[in-house]
């Protein structure tokens, strides 16, 4: 899809439905200072869009990321060459990489604005050592040998996601994503990986590491393409930075029996968890007051982005109603689903019980599943992505 912008000309973007949290991803390069305005224009055209991100793809992200599929060769703008529906993926070289790829090129480090650091057109890639690895790389690190299907030897297609860069997992970054407000978003991360898989012309299963605004390290996304436009997805969420308590003064809300609310702090976003035993749970029915308080609490906490997660009781799955405020984009939404908020709720429940949890949350537009282990700090979110404008 495209829209006209006075400064950037045609803005290319696509729209996704990750469990109802409608997300637009822009592929046109837009300066971070202009991203909120461009996002606002897209949201005006599509009132159902709840958030907008800006995505960039990297050639280095191609090798070894697809299970049972060959990567397509990318143009310089990060999209597959001849990316019409009938285009044929590029033939790989004998080492399993796309033809004309650079064996020694490491993926570019990103600045805080989501663009590659030192991204001048004349930048020279790192010189490889004699063994074909980049200079200054770990001397003992041996690249995984690919099987004939392009996957790392001994990899297990059904295995749970491992830490990025471990044996049998892709170490290169496939894409970078910057949200319009500079916040972190788990649903948009899964959408960016799905768009990368679509642009690369891949079917079946794939894995990609995505660098996301708000998160220090790239995140691993596992995808299973269930149709031409739909994906099952799982993303390894950033670890919690800690769990604080928002201390509230008497009289802020009449009838409140609990004057402290847990705040799960993640990279790029924090979430207040409100359960039925809190007097603040009634805010779910008073949306205007909830929004007013959320704006004030976001400033008081100094959060880049703040969510209010109303976590109800339930047998098996638990209902979750998300409200999210993004100051950088000046947006406030009662979201249809919230991946980071779901992860925060799972982290909170694991912390309370002192044991790993595997829980499904019933959200306004569907379900998200969270696995969280308080001992290892590892949290994985499972969801789905529908490519609505593809």
């Amino acid at each position: 899809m495209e829209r006209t912008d006075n400064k950037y000309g045609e803005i290319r973007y696509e729209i996704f439905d990750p469990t109802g949290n409608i997300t637009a991803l822009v592929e046109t390069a837009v300066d971070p200072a202009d991203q909120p305005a461009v996002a606002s224009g897209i949201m005006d055209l599509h009132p159902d869009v709840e958030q907008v991100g800006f995505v960039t793809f990297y050639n280095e992200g191609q090798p070894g990321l697809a299970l049972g599929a060959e990567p397509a060769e990318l143009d310089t703008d990060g999209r597959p060459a001849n990316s019409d529906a009938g285009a044929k993926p590029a033939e790989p070289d004998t080492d399993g990489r796309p033809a004309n790829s650079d064996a020694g090129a490491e993926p570019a480090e990103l600045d805080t604005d989501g663009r590659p650091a030192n991204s001048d057109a004349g930048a020279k890639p790192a010189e490889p050592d004699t063994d074909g690895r980049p200079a200054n790389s770990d001397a003992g690190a041996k690249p995984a040998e690919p099987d004939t299907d392009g996957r790392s030897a001994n990899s297990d297609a059904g295995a749970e996601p491992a830490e990025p860069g471990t044996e049998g997992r892709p170490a290169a970054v496939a894409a970078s994503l910057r949200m319009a407000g500079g916040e972190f978003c788990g649903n948009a991360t899964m959408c960016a990986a799905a768009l990368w898989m679509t642009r690369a012309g891949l079917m079946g299963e794939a894995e990609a590491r995505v660098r996301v605004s708000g998160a220090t390290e790239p995140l691993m996304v596992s995808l299973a393409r269930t149709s031409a436009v739909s994906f099952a997805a799982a993303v390894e969420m950033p670890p919690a930075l800690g769990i604080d308590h928002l201390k509230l003064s008497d009289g802020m809300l009449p009838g409140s029996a609990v004057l402290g609310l847990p705040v799960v702090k993640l990279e790029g976003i924090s979430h207040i968890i409100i359960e039925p035993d809190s007097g603040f749970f009634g805010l779910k029915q008073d949306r205007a007051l909830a929004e007013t308080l959320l704006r004030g609490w976001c400033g008081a906490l100094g959060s880049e982005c703040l969510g209010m997660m109303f976590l109800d009781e339930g047998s098996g799955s638990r209902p979750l109603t998300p409200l999210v405020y993004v100051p950088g984009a000046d947006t406030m939404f009662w979201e249809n689903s919230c991946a980071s908020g779901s992860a925060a709720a799972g982290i909170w429940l694991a912390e309370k019980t002192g044991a790993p949890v595997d829980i499904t949350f019933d959200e306004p537009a569907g379900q998200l599943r969270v696995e969280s282990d308080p001992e290892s700090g590892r949290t994985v979110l499972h969801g789905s992505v529908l490519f609505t404008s593809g």
Side-chain angles (χ1 to χ4, degrees), residues 70 91-101 145-150:
E70 293 180 353
E91 294 295 324
D93 284 340
T94 53
D95 62 358
R97 291 177 291 109
N100 305 318
S101 65
E145 292 295 325
D147 285 336
T148 54
D149 60 359

Side-chain angles (χ1 to χ4, degrees), residues 12-90:
R12 178 175 178 173
Y13 61 96
E14 303 292 355
I15 296 179
F16 295 83
D17 176 355
T19 318
N21 185 208
I22 308 301
T23 301
L25 294 184
V26 177
E27 296 177 80
T28 303
V30 175
D31 190 277
D34 297 326
Q35 289 178 0
V38 170
S40 179
I42 292 173
M43 295 169 81
D44 287 343
L45 285 175
H46 306 277
D48 57 338
V49 169
E50 297 180 350
Q51 58 199 1
V52 179
F54 296 78
V55 66
T56 303
F57 301 112
Y58 298 102
N59 288 4
E60 291 89 340
Q62 292 293 305
L65 294 188
L67 304 181
E70 293 180 353
E73 189 167 353
L74 298 182
D75 282 337
T76 53
D77 62 358
R79 294 193 302 276
N82 305 316
S83 57
D84 292 341
K88 182 180 178 182

Side-chain angles (χ1 to χ4, degrees), residues 203-251:
M203 299 299 292
E205 298 179 355
E207 292 171 340
R209 292 177 69 215
V210 180
R211 193 180 293 276
V212 191
S213 56
T216 302
E217 298 294 332
L219 304 178
M220 183 71 75
V221 182
S222 300
L223 296 163
R225 195 163 188 168
T226 54
S227 77
V229 295
S230 60
F231 306 79
V235 56
E236 296 189 43
M237 302 294 283
L241 300 176
I243 299 177
D244 294 335
H245 280 79
L246 179 63
K247 302 299 183 181
L248 305 171
S249 60
D250 291 335

Side-chain angles (χ1 to χ4, degrees), residues 92-277:
D93 284 340
T94 53
D95 62 358
R97 291 177 291 109
N100 305 318
S101 65
D102 184 355
E106 287 287 329
E109 293 296 319
L110 299 186
D111 285 334
T112 54
D113 62 1
R115 289 177 290 118
N118 305 318
S119 56
D120 292 340
K124 184 179 179 182
E127 293 295 325
D129 284 338
T130 54
D131 60 357
R133 288 180 290 111
N136 305 319
S137 63
D138 191 353
K142 182 180 179 181
E145 292 295 325
D147 285 336
T148 54
D149 60 359
R151 290 181 288 119
S152 299
N154 304 319
S155 66
D156 185 356
E160 286 294 322
E163 292 298 317
T166 58
E167 184 179 355
R169 308 305 297 249
V173 174
S176 71
L177 169 69
R178 186 184 190 278
M179 301 304 293
E183 75 277 14
F184 170 75
C185 179
N187 273 331
T189 300
M190 293 188 289
C191 292
L195 183 56
W196 166 83
M197 189 174 179
T198 299
R199 291 288 180 256
L202 303 178
M203 299 299 292
E205 298 179 355
E207 292 171 340
R209 292 177 69 215
V210 180
R211 193 180 293 276
V212 191
S213 56
T216 302
E217 298 294 332
L219 304 178
M220 183 71 75
V221 182
S222 300
L223 296 163
R225 195 163 188 168
T226 54
S227 77
V229 295
S230 60
F231 306 79
V235 56
E236 296 189 43
M237 302 294 283
L241 300 176
I243 299 177
D244 294 335
H245 280 79
L246 179 63
K247 302 299 183 181
L248 305 171
S249 60
D250 291 335
M252 180 172 285
L253 191 69
S256 175
V258 177
L259 296 180
L261 292 172
V263 182
V264 180
K265 299 177 67 176
L266 304 174
E267 292 182 335
I269 193 168
S270 297
H271 290 286
I272 300 169
I273 311 299
I274 305 180
E275 296 185 85
D277 64 350

